Amino acid sequence: MAQSQLARSERINGWAFVLPALILLGIFMIYPIIWSLWMSFQVGRGMQFSFGGLTNIIRLTQDPIFIRALTNTLIFLAVQVPIMLVLALLFASALNDPKLWGRGIFRTAIFLPCVTSLVAYSVTFKSMFAADGIINQMLMGLHIIASPIPWLADPFWAKVVIISAITWRWTGYNMIFYLAAMQNIDRSIYEAAKIDGVPAWARFWYLTVPMLKPVILFTAVISTIGTLQLFDEPNLLTMGGPSDSTLTLSMYIYNLSFKFMPSFGYAATVSYVIVILVAILSFLQFLAARDRKA
């Protein structure tokens, strides 16, 4: 009897501990997911909407702005994520060398951008890449270009600026994961490889990279999710311009929801495109990284 009362008391205490978190999870995560799914089948403007079936899905295939936003997002994903992950891996490998002078300074300098104020670094990038900014002045001073490049006014160069800004901001974040993983690798493995005459590049490619496989998978997944949800840099640097050349899916959702006459149903439909892309690409990354011996 006493044991039964004790078990019941433990269950009550457990539920009392978990229930507040479950309530908050339901209110701020589960309910919005269900509501947005229901909204994706609604058509109308503002708060005046009605059930429209597959109307919004059909509209996606006929919407040139959505197709442009999707294309831009996939370009950012395909170009920026590999560059960022490779740079993060190279920086981590360099900083993992105990003989490197000033490792702490370099580590802080590389990581600092990801904790810098978003507004501050956006203003910095805007001024650097302005027509009379320091980038154009340096390039003309070195006689690389004869006239200023319209970095933020040209569709191609605007994408380059956005990719540079994202890479500069988040490379240090991924580098920390790689560096922590590298410092947990047994040094005797590298010492044995050195004794066998294995060159540095081979030790990195055939020893370090395979042992970092779980961390590389993790950073690839979170970087993919972050880039598919890209909003801050295009919004602050170019506002999606010029001519929607840097408009992303997240920006388009924002425009549909809060600019002009809101179309919440269609915005919800576009948001589920991001959900589907995240699910598919994450699955493919897990599939590619899976151990073939398993």
Side-chain angles (χ1 to χ4, degrees):
M1 186 69 177
Q3 290 181 349
S4 176
Q5 290 178 346
L6 180 62
R8 181 183 299 177
S9 176
E10 289 177 348
R11 285 197 297 270
I12 292 174
N13 291 336
W15 278 108
F17 182 78
V18 173
L19 195 59
L22 291 177
I23 292 173
L24 291 174
L25 185 67
I27 293 173
F28 294 106
M29 281 196 65
I30 298 175
Y31 173 72
I33 289 172
I34 296 173
W35 176 262
S36 64
L37 182 61
W38 178 78
M39 281 297 300
S40 66
F41 294 100
Q42 309 298 311
V43 294
R45 294 285 183 176
M47 298 306 295
Q48 302 295 324
F49 48 81
S50 59
F51 184 76
L54 300 179
T55 302
N56 288 328
I57 297 176
I58 297 171
R59 180 180 171 184
L60 285 177
T61 63
Q62 302 170 348
D63 183 358
I65 301 178
F66 164 76
I67 294 173
R68 193 175 302 121
L70 176 62
T71 303
N72 293 337
T73 302
L74 293 178
I75 289 173
F76 290 137
L77 176 67
V79 176
Q80 183 265 333
V81 170
I83 292 175
M84 179 177 64
L85 296 183
V86 170
L87 284 176
L89 190 58
L90 293 177
F91 284 143
S93 180
L95 291 173
N96 193 43
D97 184 359
K99 298 178 182 178
L100 179 67
W101 179 86
R103 284 199 304 166
I105 298 173
F106 289 123
R107 183 170 59 243
T108 302
I110 296 171
F111 181 74
L112 189 61
C114 74
V115 294
T116 303
S117 167
L118 178 61
V119 175
Y121 107 87
S122 298
V123 170
T124 302
F125 261 80
K126 258 193 171 180
S127 62
M128 287 172 56
F129 287 94
D132 57 348
I134 189 174
I135 300 297
N136 277 330
Q137 291 179 9
M138 289 178 57
L139 293 176
M140 288 190 292
L142 295 172
H143 303 288
I144 296 176
I145 58 175
S147 59
I149 296 175
W151 295 101
L152 300 176
D154 180 85
F156 173 78
W157 291 116
K159 285 188 177 70
V160 172
V161 173
I162 297 296
I163 290 171
S164 301
I166 308 168
T167 303
W168 180 81
R169 186 183 181 196
W170 293 114
T171 295
Y173 177 79
N174 291 290
M175 178 201 71
I176 293 298
F177 289 105
Y178 294 144
L179 185 58
M182 287 180 181
Q183 291 175 345
N184 284 323
I185 297 175
D186 190 353
R187 303 298 300 181
S188 63
I189 298 175
Y190 294 110
E191 293 170 1
K194 282 183 181 180
I195 294 174
D196 290 339
V198 180
W201 70 267
R203 292 197 299 270
F204 175 77
W205 184 253
Y206 293 108
L207 293 177
T208 304
V209 172
M211 285 187 283
L212 293 180
K213 192 175 179 181
V215 183
I216 293 173
L217 174 62
F218 171 75
T219 55
V221 170
I222 63 172
S223 299
T224 297
I225 294 172
T227 305
L228 287 173
Q229 297 175 339
L230 182 62
F231 177 84
D232 295 330
E233 285 80 4
N235 186 55
L236 292 172
L237 293 175
T238 62
M239 297 189 70
S243 303
D244 293 334
S245 61
T246 58
L247 181 72
T248 62
L249 289 174
S250 292
M251 284 192 69
Y252 191 38
I253 293 169
Y254 172 81
N255 293 341
L256 289 169
S257 300
F258 303 107
K259 283 190 174 181
F260 312 115
M261 180 62 73
S263 180
F264 296 116
Y266 188 51
T269 305
V270 177
S271 70
Y272 272 94
V273 173
I274 297 180
V275 172
I276 293 170
L277 286 174
V278 167
I280 293 174
L281 293 176
S282 298
F283 173 76
L284 291 176
Q285 288 170 341
F286 275 104
L287 200 62
R290 188 177 59 184
D291 191 350
R292 293 181 179 179
K293 293 182 180 180

